Amino acid sequence: MMTENEKAAQRKKIQHIIFIIVLAVLFIAFIAPFLLVVINVFKTKGDITSAPLALIGKHGFTLKNFPEAMKKMNFWTVFGNSLVVTISSTILTILFSAMCAFALVRNKWLACTALFTMMIASMVIPFQVLMVPLVSVYGGLLNILNSRITLILMHTGFSVSMATFMFHGAIHTNIPLELEEAAYIDGCTRWATFWKIVFPLLKPTIATVAIIDAMAFWNDYLLPSLVLGRKELYTIPIATQMFYGTYSTDIGLIMAALLLAMLPILILYVFLQRYIVEGVTSGAVKG
């Protein structure tokens, strides 16, 4: 007969095994589409259609999809557009949101509370509600569409509420007021205290916001399609649309374009994942 401790240990072991199995199934479900893209990008169009799950098609291994896709979508131009828009929008969002959150946390004014409440409320408004007024006002009245600067400022405006919410929690929870008071005593101004004391301590949150917003800006199709009308301003998501024809679609070229579009975000995540983990675990243990 097993003792109660042995039964508890066995139940715990079984629960752990079930947990591992569930995680493995979820991992396979999430990674399967990416693996299918990687497998099929090195096949011809006929091999992809006839045997999408085969590791190597009947016509063998091919790299033709990449140069053809890059040429057809004018890859380096759209890649540069996406890079400029994503980096600029992400930097502006981080800077404005961090400064705004600092002001909202450290000033106990009624106006700050009201502004923060309105920013949180704005996060629940679907973008589709704003599509028609956006195009009507900025395109019809102001005539400032078809500009990368307009797109960058719109990206920043739509993302600053969520980023401010994240920075607000990080400053309120993880940065002691005593650090700032010590800096004031040493002669630091409020501006210098933010940049020299507060902002460096926000590194995990900055990395988290950078990943979330950079992915959103890089992969966004709807807003750039409304703002950018000229081909020389297209970003990667808009440029991939030219591979979809009315009567036929070259799946190999689409997968090559999608893989090329994914690589920068994957590289960014690899470099910033350590800070994201720190951001998730910060504040979990109090010393």
Side-chain angles (χ1 to χ4, degrees):
M1 296 289 294
M2 291 190 299
T3 63
E4 289 297 326
N5 290 335
E6 290 175 341
K7 290 181 180 178
Q10 189 176 22
R11 284 196 298 268
K12 189 174 181 180
K13 186 176 181 180
I14 294 173
Q15 291 174 355
H16 182 71
I17 293 173
I18 294 174
F19 181 70
I20 295 297
I21 293 173
V22 172
L23 285 181
V25 172
L26 290 175
F27 174 76
I28 293 172
F30 278 104
I31 203 69
F34 177 73
L35 292 178
L36 284 175
V37 171
V38 174
I39 290 171
N40 288 294
V41 76
F42 300 107
K43 299 178 185 175
T44 62
K45 181 180 177 181
D47 290 338
I48 296 173
T49 306
S50 60
L53 298 179
L55 293 178
I56 301 177
K58 294 180 180 179
H59 296 88
F61 187 87
T62 180
L63 293 173
K64 291 182 179 180
N65 290 326
F66 288 100
E68 290 183 17
M70 294 174 69
K71 182 179 179 181
K72 189 170 183 179
M73 69 187 296
N74 198 8
F75 177 76
W76 292 114
T77 299
V78 298
F79 178 82
N81 292 335
S82 291
L83 203 63
V84 169
V85 169
T86 300
I87 292 177
S88 302
S89 302
T90 303
I91 291 175
L92 289 177
T93 299
I94 291 172
L95 293 179
F96 290 156
S97 300
M99 290 188 287
C100 180
F102 177 68
L104 293 176
V105 172
R106 296 310 186 210
N107 295 299
K108 306 300 180 182
W109 303 335
L110 181 61
C112 291
T113 304
L115 178 62
F116 186 63
T117 303
M118 287 189 289
M119 294 182 75
I120 298 303
S122 69
M123 292 164 54
V124 304
I125 301 175
F127 174 74
Q128 288 76 7
V129 175
L130 306 174
M131 284 171 52
V132 175
L134 191 75
V135 176
S136 300
V137 173
Y138 290 96
L141 296 179
L142 302 178
N143 195 26
I144 57 173
L145 297 183
N146 283 320
S147 170
R148 280 189 290 261
I149 296 177
T150 301
L151 179 59
I152 290 169
L153 294 178
M154 285 184 178
H155 273 318
T156 304
F158 284 121
S159 60
V160 76
S161 295
M162 180 63 181
T164 300
F165 174 75
M166 297 178 68
F167 280 116
H168 187 283
I171 294 172
H172 181 75
T173 305
N174 299 326
I175 300 180
L177 184 60
E178 291 76 11
L179 286 176
E180 299 171 33
E181 292 174 346
Y184 296 147
I185 293 173
D186 289 339
C188 264
T189 62
R190 197 173 185 85
W191 181 258
T193 300
F194 173 76
W195 290 111
K196 294 181 179 180
I197 305 297
V198 177
F199 195 73
L201 295 175
L202 293 173
K203 192 179 293 183
T205 308
I206 291 171
T208 305
V209 172
I211 280 289
I212 294 174
D213 286 339
M215 288 182 62
F217 300 150
W218 186 268
N219 296 322
D220 189 25
Y221 172 81
L222 186 55
L223 183 57
S225 67
L226 295 173
V227 176
L228 306 177
R230 301 201 308 267
K231 285 188 176 182
E232 61 269 20
L233 298 177
Y234 279 0
T235 57
I236 288 180
I238 305 177
T240 54
Q241 276 296 110
M242 64 182 61
F243 296 113
Y244 296 91
T246 305
Y247 302 104
S248 64
T249 300
D250 197 328
I251 303 176
L253 298 185
I254 292 173
M255 291 188 175
L258 294 177
L259 189 60
L260 290 170
M262 278 189 273
L263 288 178
I265 292 298
L266 291 176
I267 294 171
L268 178 66
Y269 180 80
V270 169
F271 280 104
L272 296 183
Q273 62 176 338
R274 178 169 63 90
Y275 298 109
I276 295 174
V277 174
E278 288 179 10
V280 173
T281 58
S282 63
V285 180
K286 297 292 183 181

